[in-house]
Amino acid sequence: SEATTSWKNKGYLTATIIESTPVVRNSYSQTNPTTDYLSGLTCTAWEDSRGGARYTITNVDGTILVNDGLIDALATNVFVVTFQNNFFIFYTLTADTSLNYKLVSFGTPLTLGAKVTVTTNMNAVPNFDCIAIGSKIFVAYFNVANQILIRTIDNLFVISSATTLANSALNCLGLWTDDSQNLWLGFSNNVNVSVAAYNYNMVAILATTTIEAIANANKITGFTTGTTAKVFYQITAAATYNHYVKTNTITLAAVVGTAADFLRSVGLASK
């Protein structure tokens, strides 16, 4: 304490050592990286200055199994999800309005599967998110009709018909789950930040509810404890140091808390 010119015991100080493993080394630029882990293997994908998106598969000991592999020369908005002993690499294309994935199996990690198209009617603002819950991947995306559509991919890789949420996700769209395997959606139309929720069978359990009327929310995520979700959303600005993260709560009974600043001059590390 400066006032008493003395030290006070605050407990042990735990040393932290950061280790890193490079996944690619070359003279090109890699942006918007995404990664996921599966039983000792890590799949990392990114957008590349050569055009399109590429990926690397590394072993737990750092051995590179696939080095700088091409996903698609026109791919963008790449996102990796682990599901049923596979890496699903989702991406959109600059040439059309499709949302697709390619699969890397744990048993054959050197092989990148063929393109599978989830939808062909993405919005020109191609916001989407994916999450594995139980024996399904839930895929939510912003479509050409300015609505949010939700599809599932089951353990046989069958893509379901779409469930429509008649709201805009012009600025951002994010998914998370809870201990009851419910699907929570956070999104912004540049006017309101809102939340909705469905159960595992895609029955609505929380209608779209605004948690704050605010513009410029360009990223969103959250977590749920019991029936209460805590939502974090980034507010963008012209100067990067004016970016900040806000937070609010909402329950399945649509009880909204009070929005508050969480941290200023930072952003969310998410798509």
Side-chain angles (χ1 to χ4, degrees):
S1 168
E2 184 177 355
T4 62
T5 64
S6 62
W7 292 90
K8 185 174 182 180
N9 187 354
K10 293 289 188 178
Y12 293 103
L13 177 64
T14 302
T16 302
I17 299 174
I18 299 176
E19 296 182 352
S20 62
T21 301
V23 296
V24 62
R25 286 177 174 169
N26 56 38
S27 59
Y28 302 102
S29 298
Q30 298 83 38
T31 55
N32 300 323
T34 171
T35 190
D36 209 344
Y37 178 83
L38 173 63
S39 301
L41 297 183
T42 300
C43 178
T44 303
W46 62 89
E47 295 175 30
D48 197 272
S49 62
R50 285 166 285 183
R54 307 182 79 88
Y55 76 107
T56 289
I57 304 289
T58 54
N59 207 341
V60 66
D61 62 1
T63 303
I64 296 178
L65 303 180
V66 176
N67 183 25
D68 195 23
L70 179 65
I71 299 169
D72 192 291
L74 299 176
T76 186
N77 300 308
V78 65
F79 189 64
V80 179
V81 176
T82 297
F83 177 67
Q84 298 287 328
N85 286 321
N86 300 285
F87 292 113
F88 281 70
I89 306 176
F90 288 90
Y91 60 95
T92 60
L93 291 172
T94 57
D96 58 32
T97 57
S98 65
L99 173 62
N100 315 278
Y101 74 79
K102 290 185 178 180
L103 185 147
V104 177
S105 172
F106 179 80
T108 55
L110 304 184
T111 302
L112 180 65
K115 180 181 76 171
V116 177
T117 298
V118 178
T119 182
T120 58
N121 67 343
M122 290 284 288
N123 195 281
V125 180
N127 290 328
F128 75 93
D129 201 6
C130 314
I131 186 171
I133 306 174
S135 59
K136 302 175 186 177
I137 296 179
F138 290 78
V139 183
Y141 58 93
F142 185 40
N143 79 345
V144 292
N146 297 316
Q147 298 174 323
I148 299 170
L149 269 61
I150 308 163
R151 296 180 186 268
T152 63
I153 303 172
D154 67 17
N155 56 359
L156 298 177
F157 308 147
V158 176
I159 301 172
S160 74
S161 58
T163 298
T164 301
L165 182 61
N167 296 103
S168 169
L170 178 65
N171 275 34
C172 60
L173 173 62
L175 305 179
W176 66 94
T177 188
D178 58 27
D179 289 340
S180 298
Q181 295 190 327
N182 296 318
L183 175 70
W184 293 75
L185 300 89
F187 49 93
S188 170
N189 60 0
N190 203 34
V191 177
N192 298 316
V193 176
S194 303
V195 174
Y198 292 82
N199 69 14
Y200 188 73
N201 296 314
M202 289 305 301
V203 176
I205 55 176
L206 173 65
T208 297
T209 304
T210 296
I211 61 172
E212 185 176 7
I214 188 171
N216 300 322
N218 70 336
K219 292 181 181 178
I220 190 166
T221 189
F223 68 90
T224 300
T225 303
T227 59
T228 301
K230 191 170 183 65
V231 188
F232 299 88
Y233 41 102
Q234 176 181 320
I235 309 301
T236 189
T240 55
Y241 53 78
N242 284 330
H243 291 205
Y244 65 105
V245 176
K246 300 202 71 176
T247 186
N248 203 348
T249 60
I250 182 172
T251 71
L252 279 179
V255 177
V256 178
T258 301
D261 293 352
F262 178 70
L263 206 58
R264 288 189 166 270
S265 298
V266 298
L268 293 175
S270 63
K271 180 171 61 64

